[in-house]
Amino acid sequence: MSETDLTEPELDTTQLDEDDRLKPAFVRAVLDAVEAGDAAAARALVEPLHPADIADLFELTPHEDRAALATAITDLLDGDVFAEMNDYVREDLIDALSATQVADIASELDTDDAVAIIEDMEPADQREVLRALDPDDRAAIEEALSYDEETAGRLMQRELIAVPEHWSVGDVLDYLRQHDELTTDFWEIFVVDPAHKPVGTVALSWILRTPRGIAIGDVMQREQTLIPVDMDQEEVALRFQKYALISAAVVDPVGRLVGMITVDDIVHIISEEAGEDILRLSGAGDGDINEPIHLTVRTRITWLVVNLGTAMLAASVVGLFQGEIGRFALLAVLMPIVSGMGGNAGTQTLAVMVRALATNQLTSSNTGRMIYREFRIAAANGVMLGTIIGIGTFLIFGNAHLAIVIAMAMVINNLIAGLSGVLIPVTLDRLDIDPAVSSAVFVTMMTDVMGFFSFLGLATLFGLGS
Amino acid sequence: MSETDLTEPELDTTQLDEDDRLKPAFVRAVLDAVEAGDAAAARALVEPLHPADIADLFELTPHEDRAALATAITDLLDGDVFAEMNDYVREDLIDALSATQVADIASELDTDDAVAIIEDMEPADQREVLRALDPDDRAAIEEALSYDEETAGRLMQRELIAVPEHWSVGDVLDYLRQHDELTTDFWEIFVVDPAHKPVGTVALSWILRTPRGIAIGDVMQREQTLIPVDMDQEEVALRFQKYALISAAVVDPVGRLVGMITVDDIVHIISEEAGEDILRLSGAGDGDINEPIHLTVRTRITWLVVNLGTAMLAASVVGLFQGEIGRFALLAVLMPIVSGMGGNAGTQTLAVMVRALATNQLTSSNTGRMIYREFRIAAANGVMLGTIIGIGTFLIFGNAHLAIVIAMAMVINNLIAGLSGVLIPVTLDRLDIDPAVSSAVFVTMMTDVMGFFSFLGLATLFGLGS
């Protein structure tokens, strides 16, 4: 597939705000030109932009104006722009283009970016685009599509440089200079044995600094991190992060080199995977602000209905004590404090544990230590909060029994919050269930139910409301 | 500073579990050897490990055993191990070492990694370590320490390759081959003018593929993304991500090249910055499981006490309706459902907005559109949830007024949740207050207070409990 220009214009940053995003006035100027039918003016504005900023322009343009914008600046819409675009916005645009146009764009890209464009299309459209591609490009993309989504096989590019161990540095230089069709998007060279299995890697800086006569086998680094082709992209990202990799060889089940993943394809995944925990924990799905609204509503309402179930369960616990509440309504005033504070403390522990699990910091070697750690934190916080609320209750209402009951309930519910905040995500993780998705429901259920039960139950034991 | 070995042993992965973390049995075996005083056995076990895994070994070792482990395997503790280590664990170990030992380790590292080790030390210890360094290393590190923490100046390494525009590719190759003292940790070469201002970059793959006689000015890419030396590291990370950079030139206020940042230093920051939102939103501070426990307790209790204040405010709203609750205790049973569901819906919106703000996806160009989007989502969810709970209440309690009241309160509180979930973080962001840290308190306060008030207030209007 093709190469980028050697001499691109200087990056024009005058249209960007301090966050590197396009200024509203600029977006408006482009859309005004499009609406006025002045495609030339729109093109003149957009042309100096970096592909990532053209992609942004589409994200910042309301859904209904995107097709008109695309028509006005079609010739600026190259593969790089699509590669940088948000998934939903890209789907929007791809729907508006013909199969031949999509094939033209895909053929400009490395396999991984081409696959990202094609994988979300309807099967019929996909076949049409594949038919319009060169046989070589088609074969590479079809092979990539044969791997599961979100695996190394989908992420990798097939374009890479692999050389035999007996070549000299000079052989490598000559090979690279003589073969124009090779990719330029590489940072390391892979050294392979006759069976095409990787035996080492050489960073390009080493090749540049080594005299021509030296054998590549003598400068290569034998220690290397290989990525199995079926590895999940989250694990790939963690491996890149842990070993500070720039690129890595991808190998098939028998160990042959089949592709390469570079770190620039990984940074998006690291950010997405780290950011999605917060969204999953709150039940906001993938939380993409470009998602069609009916899909967002569906994701969020599902989670809310599940939570409605647990809220009703907690309410039924309160229902057990209706008699006491009727006789002593102050119990109803104070009970949300106990359950709410338990919920807050549980969420703190949960957030820490979900991150520690996601980054592989919480492992079987230190789980016991972490449970004990959270128990001590919960005990310390529970005693402090219980003391504050107990004293406060006594000062305001002058009822010593009520003060003791709420203080005790606060300690109990903090311990329950701390323990469920660590045990629930760890257990779900052991069962191969994503703790970020499911933990919060269970933790909130525990802190609500036990918050109400401990407070109202202790109140009953102490004869309050009787 | 020195270079890494060319020929390292094959990566031994037999001690790693499927998450690339050390197996508990292995950690135990090492610690048993240390405890038995058999340093040779411990060294033999640890020696085949990658530096990142030796760093992990210390994280997985309980605090009290770390000093003994360090003593047993001192000669394996090189700079790379420290560079990979968790901050708290590193501080732990550095405290146990002498200034000369720390200086030895720091002198092996690139500036950025050396600074990371030295910046957290006590001023007196810092001075002692700096005195023990080579004058060159000392000057570089002192200059780095003169920049603010978490800025590009701290992150960058001074070791880079810069060449004048008129050099040929052959000149560059000869220069690199003849100067052994140059860094090998580079992926691009910077082209500078006589005032040492960057005018372009060349990826190493381009140099390798270009004949010796071509001028470097003809193959360089003029479009480049420069990083100001005082830029916040979060903005640096977003810029690397947006423009898919491998390395970038860092420039001082007059535009001179002063350093270079490479993507491997950025992936940690991308992951940290993306992951810390979840921790801040829950009030768990930086949520590091290696943090000393008293610091963790202090961070969390601060947040919990603030939340206790808002919980008491919400309780005082309930207190306004004690009379009604006393006459009709069912109100107390159902009211937590309304406030709790509002809290859940508000947290969903908040999580989405905090991520969109952190990734610069929510900008002044699309804020209005997002507020309207969340309003429609909240309305849809509110109507659905209100219908479910209204019908459920009618079927269970047979009270039509109560059913209408809870359904209406549910719609109102969902709208409040949706609007405060977007308006509060956006407003805080405009005021330059981190929305991840402060939003949740305000959103929960709104949904609790308004949940109780709308439900109990409507109930009073409808004559329930009178």
Side-chain angles (χ1 to χ4, degrees), chain A residues 53-257:
Chain A
D53 290 314
I54 302 183
D56 269 3
L57 176 62
F58 279 94
E59 286 172 41
L60 296 175
T61 299
H63 171 77
E64 55 278 14
D65 299 333
R66 284 177 193 155
L69 174 61
T71 313
I73 60 166
T74 310
D75 46 327
L76 300 174
L77 283 181
D78 61 8
D80 288 336
V81 174
F82 280 90
E84 295 287 340
M85 207 174 277
N86 173 281
D87 288 353
Y88 292 106
V89 178
R90 185 166 55 209
E91 266 182 68
D92 232 29
L93 277 188
I94 294 284
D95 283 350
L97 298 175
S98 73
T100 333
Q101 283 174 299
V102 177
D104 277 353
I105 291 165
S107 66
E108 281 178 46
L109 297 170
D110 283 332
T111 354
D112 53 333
D113 291 327
V115 166
I117 289 186
I118 293 173
E119 66 185 354
D120 293 328
M121 302 179 79
E122 300 293 321
D125 297 341
Q126 217 177 61
R127 273 194 301 276
E128 209 177 325
V129 171
L130 287 170
R131 244 192 321 263
L133 280 171
D134 285 344
D136 281 359
D137 291 348
R138 181 165 62 226
I141 291 173
E142 279 177 338
E143 200 210 316
L145 290 172
S146 73
Y147 297 109
D148 286 341
E149 273 188 65
E150 310 213 325
T151 62
R154 285 283 177 104
L155 272 183
M156 71 186 182
Q157 58 182 71
R158 268 136 207 82
E159 299 80 9
L160 55 81
I161 311 292
V163 301
E165 198 170 346
H166 62 80
W167 277 20
S168 69
V169 166
D171 292 337
V172 173
L173 287 175
D174 294 339
Y175 170 73
L176 290 173
R177 287 183 186 152
Q178 283 155 21
H179 290 78
D180 279 349
E181 78 287 2
L182 294 173
T183 179
T184 50
D185 182 15
F186 64 100
W187 309 95
E188 290 173 309
I189 283 180
F190 300 104
V191 183
V192 289
D193 70 9
H196 214 68
K197 293 183 182 169
V199 292
T201 55
V202 199
L204 299 191
S205 61
W206 279 107
I207 296 180
L208 285 172
R209 305 200 50 189
T210 307
R212 290 184 69 96
I214 308 283
I216 207 79
D218 291 336
V219 286
M220 74 183 183
Q221 195 172 339
R222 285 179 194 279
E223 177 192 76
Q224 58 175 333
T225 308
L226 301 175
I227 308 283
V229 74
D230 58 354
M231 187 180 230
D232 184 82
Q233 65 174 18
E234 185 166 2
E235 293 301 316
V236 176
L238 286 170
R239 197 170 269 196
F240 263 76
Q241 216 178 317
K242 176 169 180 184
Y243 296 115
L245 305 177
I246 295 292
S247 64
V250 180
V251 291
D252 68 11
V254 297
R256 275 183 315 238
L257 179 66

Side-chain angles (χ1 to χ4, degrees), chain A residues 21 35 72 78 83 179 191 217 242 245 249 260 272-273 412 442:
Chain A
R21 307 298 280 198
E35 208 177 318
D78 61 8
H179 290 78
V191 183
K242 176 169 180 184
L245 305 177
M260 166 178 81
E272 261 173 47
E273 298 280 348
I412 292 171
F442 292 110

